[in-house]
Amino acid sequence: MKRLEEMLNNFKYIAENPKKMLKQYKEETGKGAVGIMPVYAPEELVHAAGYLPMGLWGAQKTISKARTYLPPFACSIMQSVMENEIDGEYDDLDAVIFSVPCDTLKCMSQKWKGKSDVIVFTHPQNRKLECSNDFLVEEYKILKNKLEKTLNTKITDENLNKSIEIYNENRKIMREFVEVAAKYPNLIDPIARHNVIKSRWFIEKSKHTEMVRQLIDEVEKEEIIPWKGKKVVLTGIMAEPSGFLEILKDENFAVVADDLAQESRQFRIDVPMGEDPIYRLAKWWQYFDGCALATDPKKVRGSMLIDMVKENKADAVVVCMMKFCDPEEFDYPIYYKELDNENIPNIMVEIDLELTSFEQAKTRLQSFNEILK
Ligand code: SF4
């Protein structure tokens, strides 16, 4: 058990100290890092260049300077990212990659306040047509050229295919971890689960895969104890700050699956097999479904959530609604109705990275827990 605790503490340390992880990577490799703005980007290109792709998911902080550049109704995460930019938190990065599927990200890509170069690309939204793959291949080629120029390196097809395999292995082990965490909620609480997943944004992926593999081995040595609390599925952009996860933990909610952009949406499908690595990366976007940022006329998110609830025998869905995120707000009435039709209890809680007091969310989740009981 002590070993398990040490391992979980290690994931916590990584998740909470991205700057230290970057420094360590630089010392070990002599190379640097490239920021990956939420939500999706072909990180494998950065990995194949030998650089560390670092997720930029903001931080819990008071917003003051960012208000000069963003309207107060810009989403909470981008307010926080902008504050970090102005504070110089991202100045150690060699470049930052942006995909711009929403209006806020479009503005952010044009208003970057950090020192690093910004590389912007576009994800096509008419995704199921072959011509959208052709479009994305061209976008990724431009992105690759710009990266090569900025980092003064060459990204070969061989290295890129290797990086895709490393990423697919990480995706696979993460899917396994999510299942294991659902079986052992007494050992992996919502905060520990989040730390294991979040840490994959801040260290080299093959290292992370190995760490998670060892963690799974350690957890599986333990006996499975039936969970007495309620089981929930999370959906949304992200489930932070930690104060929010602490409420879930205190209320004995086990997170048995998630549909969060920062978490499982990143690894629920692999990059498909094939020879041309750029085309493989483009195909991932075509196959990917169930996210407000990937246009889907069939709107499968609701049915995906219902399947997750049934497969994991969950009691409810907790919607982690990023404050002022239009794409997520537009999706909500559609899947809310579908959950309701299936009699799946659900609650929407606003995610605000600026919050330091969580009393309102606590009261709502406490009452929700009582209703479920
Ligand atoms: S998708 Fe939502 S959370 Fe993400 S940048 Fe756009 S508005 Fe903000």
Side-chain angles (χ1 to χ4, degrees):
M1 215 53 135
K2 193 165 176 288
R3 168 118 176 91
L4 183 60
E5 236 168 73
E6 276 170 13
M7 286 174 156
L8 292 175
N9 280 339
N10 203 10
F11 283 109
K12 181 175 187 284
Y13 180 83
I14 297 168
E16 289 177 355
N17 292 285
K19 274 178 91 85
K20 286 187 183 152
M21 300 322 295
L22 167 57
K23 190 166 172 270
Q24 194 176 314
Y25 185 81
K26 276 187 174 172
E27 282 164 7
E28 283 170 12
T29 64
K31 295 212 171 169
V34 172
I36 306 291
M37 281 293 282
V39 177
Y40 309 106
E43 285 179 57
E44 289 89 337
L45 282 170
V46 177
H47 187 273
Y51 282 69
L52 181 66
M54 301 274 291
L56 308 185
W57 292 88
Q60 184 181 18
K61 68 193 301 182
T62 306
I63 307 299
S64 58
K65 303 172 237 41
R67 301 261 191 256
T68 315
Y69 303 99
L70 288 174
F73 50 82
C75 65
S76 175
I77 180 172
M78 287 305 136
Q79 304 261 10
S80 158
V81 168
M82 176 65 88
E83 194 75 19
N84 271 346
E85 284 172 30
I86 300 167
D87 286 345
E89 293 289 333
Y90 303 139
D91 285 353
D92 292 345
L93 299 170
D94 292 83
V96 174
I97 297 179
F98 270 90
S99 164
V100 287
C102 74
D103 289 347
T104 316
L105 279 164
K106 281 185 186 75
C107 299
M108 289 290 287
S109 68
Q110 291 159 15
K111 285 173 185 261
W112 183 255
K113 297 290 161 207
K115 285 186 185 155
S116 19
D117 285 354
V118 167
I119 306 176
V120 183
F121 74 99
T122 303
H123 272 124
Q125 287 299 337
N126 209 346
R127 300 178 305 120
K128 300 297 171 183
L129 304 175
E130 183 55 27
C131 59
S132 91
N133 294 331
D134 298 341
F135 174 87
L136 193 51
V137 164
E138 290 311 311
E139 285 291 294
Y140 283 173
K141 281 184 185 165
I142 296 169
L143 168 59
K144 177 174 170 272
N145 285 341
K146 286 185 180 169
L147 260 181
E148 287 176 333
K149 217 164 152 192
T150 307
L151 306 178
N152 194 22
T153 187
K154 197 90 202 125
I155 302 168
T156 64
D157 277 4
E158 195 191 344
N159 282 350
L160 188 50
N161 270 325
K162 268 190 212 154
S163 295
I164 291 174
E165 295 329 313
I166 288 172
Y167 267 69
N168 276 350
E169 268 184 42
N170 185 263
R171 292 182 178 107
K172 189 165 169 252
I173 201 83
M174 292 315 295
R175 293 194 292 268
E176 208 179 315
F177 166 73
V178 164
E179 281 177 21
V180 170
K183 274 191 218 157
Y184 292 88
N186 54 316
L187 299 179
I188 314 277
D189 64 43
I191 301 171
R193 181 186 184 280
H194 172 71
N195 286 335
V196 173
I197 300 176
K198 189 175 179 185
S199 61
R200 70 188 286 282
W201 286 103
F202 309 131
I203 55 167
E204 194 278 320
K205 286 288 185 295
S206 59
K207 268 193 178 178
H208 187 261
T209 302
E210 195 41 44
M211 284 175 65
V212 178
R213 188 166 287 136
Q214 287 177 17
L215 176 74
I216 291 174
D217 289 347
E218 203 58 30
V219 172
E220 286 184 330
K221 285 180 193 162
E222 303 294 328
E223 187 194 343
I224 297 178
I225 299 171
W227 182 245
K228 296 213 173 77
K230 295 296 171 191
K231 296 179 176 178
V232 294
V233 172
L234 305 183
T235 185
I237 297 290
M238 62 202 277
E240 285 191 27
S242 51
F244 168 68
L245 291 168
E246 268 159 29
I247 303 171
L248 295 181
K249 184 181 167 188
D250 293 347
E251 285 300 308
N252 266 343
F253 282 119
V255 178
V256 288
D258 80 85
D259 163 49
L260 297 170
Q262 191 196 33
E263 301 191 3
S264 287
R265 283 187 203 165
Q266 298 289 335
F267 50 76
R268 66 184 171 207
I269 61 163
D270 284 348
V271 170
M273 299 300 284
E275 277 173 23
D276 177 355
I278 302 265
Y279 185 74
R280 293 177 69 188
L281 292 170
K283 274 297 230 189
W284 182 90
W285 180 245
Q286 185 172 54
Y287 289 151
F288 175 67
D289 275 324
C291 173
L293 294 169
T295 302
D296 166 23
K298 292 188 181 150
K299 294 285 172 203
V300 296
R301 182 167 172 187
S303 56
M304 285 171 82
L305 283 170
I306 292 164
D307 288 348
M308 271 183 225
V309 167
K310 289 183 180 166
E311 278 162 23
N312 293 286
K313 296 190 173 47
D315 300 287
V317 172
V318 177
V319 179
C320 308
M321 182 59 76
M322 177 61 68
K323 190 175 180 184
F324 297 136
C325 171
D326 290 349
E328 281 287 309
E329 285 169 0
F330 290 143
D331 257 13
Y332 178 59
I334 301 165
Y335 67 81
Y336 169 78
K337 217 187 218 169
E338 290 170 318
L339 293 175
D340 236 29
N341 287 344
E342 291 284 324
N343 293 322
I344 296 174
N346 57 88
I347 184 170
M348 196 249 273
V349 183
E350 191 173 71
I351 295 292
D352 183 351
L353 294 181
E354 209 180 349
L355 277 189
T356 47
S357 161
F358 299 89
E359 291 313 310
Q360 199 184 25
K362 191 171 184 168
T363 309
R364 296 194 66 224
L365 285 163
Q366 274 173 343
S367 319
F368 186 58
N369 204 4
E370 286 305 316
I371 293 167
L372 292 177
K373 282 176 193 164

